[in-house]
Amino acid sequence: MKIKIEFLAQAKLAAGRSSLSLDMAEGCTVAAAIHAATVGNGALQELLLTEDGKIHPWVLVAMDLQSLADPNHQVLNADVTLRLMPPISGG
Amino acid sequence: MLQPWTKQKPRTLTEVEKATYEWQTWLPGFGVPGQELLKGATVLISRLGGLGSPVAFELAAAGVGKLILAHAGDLKPSDLNRQILMDHDGLGKSRVEAAKRKLLALNPRMEIEAVAANLSQENATELVGAADLVVDCAPLFQERFAMHDAAFRMGKPVVECAMFALEANLTVVVPGQTPCLRCRIPEIPTHWKREFPVFGAVSGTVGCLAAMEAIKLLSGLGNPLLGRLLSLDLMDMSTTTLDLLPRADCALCRTIPS
Ligand SMILES: [Zn+2]
């Protein structure tokens, strides 16, 4: 199934792009999609994922326009846009 | 009857104030009662950098009765691209005192308490406790946590704004009614750096939006961003509004008695 990932803030800088389309297996998790989106980009992976492959607790993950309360265990729906936002605090 | 999200008492306007705020009191749903609620309000603004400067300036212009300004340190050249309450002659001098002078020049009727310290666990209870509403413009998550934890304990709304490069976020936290800051950011993020890329026009944009959210909360006007996060990207002028969910294991929210 096709999904889209949008990178925000520092994730956009680390990815070098604002979005990415992925083809993922049905029933896969959000964490698996993020892992697929960060393969080969250590800086992006470090920003979004812990060493054991979980999503950092402070990364805001939204599926379409709804934030996810537990993105590590969330199963992806087809045709969604995942938005990944590391926290910012610029004042 | 206006229903503000805050608990201040309205204060009667003088004739000078009626004349000063005449054009904004023409707004349906706000009027003189809305203006009297702004006059009765005290707002704490944490830091007067690129965000806090325009927040304070717009709230002073709008006629908020009292601002508590918390900001440590003296002005450096690298502050001047965005900290619009400061000016070149203030280099090497207290930023919070410069801000106070600038704001009183705009609105000499208002009261300003200038605190030459940043928000911390030590002073948060006192400073947040003295305000009806908090506007969070702090560059460090330690300060944001101190401020939000105190506001949560005391049931005070917080307008939370932040920026990075050409992107910005804005949301409103009302204890017991919306997800809190720790629902979204349960611990200090390790990647955040004290220094970040910023144009004053970006921080100024979100600062003005934050000031408008404060005015709405203080007066009951419109629909503030309760439990919604506005994400702006000025690089391509896109906006997205996300619905925020509470975190089931949030250490702060579970302290609310059920
Ligand atoms: Zn919470």
Side-chain angles (χ1 to χ4, degrees):
Chain A
M1 63 183 180
K2 300 263 188 229
I3 66 154
K4 182 181 175 192
I5 292 191
E6 277 187 16
F7 301 107
L8 294 149
Q10 305 95 323
K12 183 158 62 176
L13 284 189
R17 61 204 298 177
S18 58
S19 67
L20 176 69
S21 292
L22 286 177
D23 206 350
M24 300 297 298
E26 291 214 8
C28 83
T29 62
V30 167
I34 296 175
H35 190 266
T38 60
V39 167
N41 185 333
L44 183 61
Q45 199 158 75
E46 199 175 306
L47 190 61
L48 299 173
L49 299 173
T50 62
E51 283 181 4
D52 57 0
K54 292 209 171 97
I55 304 163
H56 281 303
W58 50 72
V59 173
L60 178 62
V61 183
M63 195 145 69
D64 293 329
L65 298 178
Q66 176 79 64
S67 76
L68 299 177
D70 185 7
N72 280 301
H73 298 103
Q74 176 77 41
V75 173
L76 272 175
N77 301 330
D79 302 320
V80 294
T81 297
L82 272 187
R83 295 185 167 88
L84 308 177
M85 186 186 293
I88 59 176
S89 190
Chain B
M1 177 90 176
L2 296 176
Q3 301 247 302
W5 293 87
T6 45
K7 296 186 174 126
Q8 79 280 14
K9 297 268 185 294
R11 286 172 59 203
T12 306
L13 303 180
T14 64
E15 290 307 311
V16 171
E17 287 165 340
K18 282 181 187 165
T20 303
Y21 306 115
E22 183 183 14
W23 286 37
Q24 66 198 42
T25 56
W26 290 340
L27 192 76
F30 183 77
V32 170
Q35 194 63 49
E36 290 180 337
L37 282 164
L38 294 191
K39 183 178 179 182
T42 298
V43 177
L44 167 65
I45 303 172
S46 165
R47 298 257 198 164
L48 298 166
L51 286 178
S53 284
V55 170
F57 201 63
E58 292 297 350
L59 294 184
V64 167
K66 179 176 177 181
L67 295 181
I68 303 171
L69 310 173
H71 197 141
D74 297 337
L75 186 66
K76 305 183 296 296
S78 62
D79 296 328
L80 284 169
N81 78 323
R82 65 195 183 282
Q83 301 188 6
I84 57 167
L85 294 179
M86 320 298 162
D87 53 42
H88 189 83
D89 289 344
L91 285 170
K93 299 175 190 159
S94 162
R95 282 185 287 190
V96 77
E97 290 300 330
K100 180 176 179 177
R101 281 193 298 278
K102 184 75 72 82
L103 294 169
L104 287 175
L106 170 66
N107 181 353
R109 299 166 299 280
M110 74 184 307
E111 188 181 344
I112 293 185
E113 183 178 338
V115 180
N118 298 324
L119 254 285
S120 65
Q121 297 290 352
E122 285 69 43
N123 63 15
T125 299
E126 181 189 350
L127 293 174
V128 172
D132 301 298
L133 172 76
V134 178
V135 186
D136 172 8
C137 306
L140 295 174
F141 283 100
Q142 287 85 344
E143 289 175 52
R144 289 183 185 263
F145 280 3
M147 188 174 351
H148 279 257
D149 289 357
F152 190 91
R153 285 196 306 274
M154 291 184 260
K156 310 265 172 109
V158 180
V159 178
E160 190 209 344
C161 46
M163 54 75 52
F164 174 82
L166 267 65
E167 294 185 52
N169 289 342
L170 178 63
T171 187
V172 170
V173 177
V174 177
Q177 298 188 46
T178 69
C180 74
L181 176 67
R182 287 183 185 265
C183 283
R184 206 169 80 246
I185 308 171
E187 55 195 87
I188 304 282
T190 51
H191 71 274
W192 181 252
K193 303 285 187 294
R194 168 69 187 83
E195 294 174 334
F196 45 87
V198 50
F199 282 105
V202 178
S203 51
T205 298
V206 71
C208 287
L209 295 175
M212 198 59 230
E213 287 299 283
I215 289 167
K216 288 158 65 181
L217 291 161
L218 293 168
S219 66
L221 183 67
N223 297 309
L225 284 163
L226 270 71
R228 296 181 293 143
L229 184 137
L230 173 66
S231 168
L232 310 168
D233 187 347
L234 276 67
M235 194 70 90
D236 58 10
M237 287 301 188
S238 61
T239 64
T240 307
T241 304
L242 303 176
D243 288 325
L244 300 175
L245 283 182
R247 182 180 292 266
D249 60 350
C250 175
L252 197 55
C253 285
R254 70 182 176 201
T255 62
I256 298 180
S258 52

